[in-house]
Amino acid sequence: MTAEQPLPDVWFTRDLPVLRAIVRLLDEPPHGSAPYLGAVVPASGLAKPPVVSAANALVGAGYLDALTNHAGEIVRFTGASAEARRLTGLWPTPQGEWERLVDQLTARAAGALTDVERARWQALLDAATALGPDDGALLMSALIGGYVPRAR
């Protein structure tokens, strides 16, 4: 690798697995919501050096809050951002919720007991499909965030 080439991507192989491990541990009561770095190593399935590198990158990017010792080394994790919770699946994403809605409409249409009921669910599914995933995600974003436009 030369200086002109980009560095290899470490998000999926290092940072995301460590983020998932930390957020999972933060969310579990046995760790008092503030797991030590030593608990993250086995939880992530990675060796300590890449966990330390990932932890530093994740804290630096604002995904995690951490306590450090006098040398600046991470000792314990104390919090996760909203984006970290969404990336790890603890909190919903607009895209994921749209997919869940479409899946639910599909199942309701397929499992309807009467033709009338099936037609109603199918019409709603057809409308959702016509709306599309981009506008659907915008709608879900408003619903997740609690924003409902007022009638004029």
Side-chain angles (χ1 to χ4, degrees):
M1 181 173 289
T2 67
E4 295 82 33
Q5 292 179 324
L7 296 171
D9 184 319
V10 294
W11 176 251
F12 293 105
T13 59
R14 185 193 75 185
D15 294 355
L16 185 57
V18 170
L19 181 63
R20 285 181 177 143
I22 293 168
V23 172
R24 187 178 328 106
L25 292 170
L26 280 166
D27 204 52
E28 292 178 357
H31 300 282
S33 298
Y36 285 97
L37 180 66
V40 175
V41 173
S44 71
L46 300 172
K48 187 174 180 180
V51 169
V52 170
S53 295
N56 285 320
L58 293 165
V59 168
Y63 288 114
L64 300 168
D65 297 322
L67 296 176
T68 59
N69 62 17
H70 66 282
E73 299 165 333
I74 294 173
V75 176
R76 198 168 195 166
F77 298 94
T78 59
S81 69
E83 183 62 14
R85 292 180 177 281
R86 278 186 281 279
L87 286 169
T88 58
L90 283 181
W91 284 4
T93 63
Q95 296 81 1
E97 291 307 295
W98 180 252
E99 290 170 9
R100 285 173 31 129
L101 176 64
V102 171
D103 290 347
Q104 186 63 221
L105 293 173
T106 302
R108 297 276 178 159
L113 298 177
T114 67
D115 289 341
V116 171
E117 183 184 6
R118 183 176 299 102
R120 288 180 179 160
W121 285 116
Q122 188 62 49
L124 192 51
L125 175 60
D126 292 344
T129 303
L131 185 61
D134 294 336
D135 288 331
L138 288 173
L139 174 64
M140 290 295 124
S141 180
L143 293 174
I144 291 167
Y147 173 74
V148 178
R150 302 283 180 237
R152 295 180 200 228

